[in-house]
Amino acid sequence: ILSARHVGTTEAGREGAEHRIKAAAERLQRVRQVQAESEASVQRSLGIVEGAQQLGAETAVAMKGQTEQLKDIYADVRQMETDLQKANRLLNSMARRAVTDRITACLLILIVAGIIAAVAVKILLPPPLHPPPLFP
């Protein structure tokens, strides 16, 4: 035989238990929701990390190619410097030859002028009337 007080307590206990179960279910639902959001966030983070890794790999490949280009450019610049030094030496040599050729031309003109002057003097000056004796 149950007393009215016992029945009310049992019913209140049942309501309290149902309330606790409902609260626990709500908390469990909230925990699952937070867990799902966390899992989605982790998946997004993994996607970002994978994208960053792929971008890093592409950047490394591009940098390697640019490094090779820079090496080629440096080699070309060194070759140009060598070619410019050779061209400078050749120009200096040609300038020396040009100066030498001008000096030679001037000397030839002086020689020709001297020969013309000697011929002109021989023609324009009459021979002496009495040649000097060869042996006095």
Side-chain angles (χ1 to χ4, degrees):
I1 302 185
L2 296 172
S3 68
R5 185 174 172 213
H6 185 61
V7 170
T9 308
T10 308
E11 201 172 296
R14 192 177 316 137
E15 286 177 11
E18 286 176 6
H19 180 64
R20 285 189 300 258
I21 291 172
K22 185 177 178 182
E26 288 174 359
R27 276 185 260 143
L28 183 60
Q29 181 64 27
R30 179 70 183 134
V31 167
R32 287 181 180 154
Q33 181 182 359
V34 169
Q35 185 178 12
E37 290 172 0
S38 296
E39 189 174 323
S41 176
V42 168
Q43 291 301 320
R44 285 191 306 271
S45 296
L46 285 174
I48 291 170
V49 168
E50 288 175 7
Q53 286 177 337
Q54 184 178 3
L55 182 61
E58 291 170 2
T59 302
V61 168
M63 288 180 70
K64 185 175 181 181
Q66 290 173 353
T67 301
E68 292 301 319
Q69 286 178 339
L70 286 174
K71 286 179 183 179
D72 293 343
I73 290 169
Y74 181 69
D76 290 345
V77 167
R78 285 194 337 225
Q79 183 61 43
M80 282 187 223
E81 287 175 349
T82 301
D83 292 345
L84 285 173
Q85 288 173 351
K86 287 179 183 178
N88 192 27
R89 284 193 301 266
L90 182 61
L91 285 173
N92 286 339
S93 173
M94 291 172 67
R96 281 192 297 270
R97 287 181 189 158
V99 169
T100 302
D101 290 348
R102 286 183 184 158
I103 292 172
T104 303
C106 288
L107 289 176
L108 284 174
I109 290 172
L110 288 175
I111 290 172
V112 169
I115 292 173
I116 291 173
V119 169
V121 167
K122 191 69 166 169
I123 292 175
L124 295 176
L125 289 179
L129 293 174
H130 297 292
L134 289 177
F135 300 106

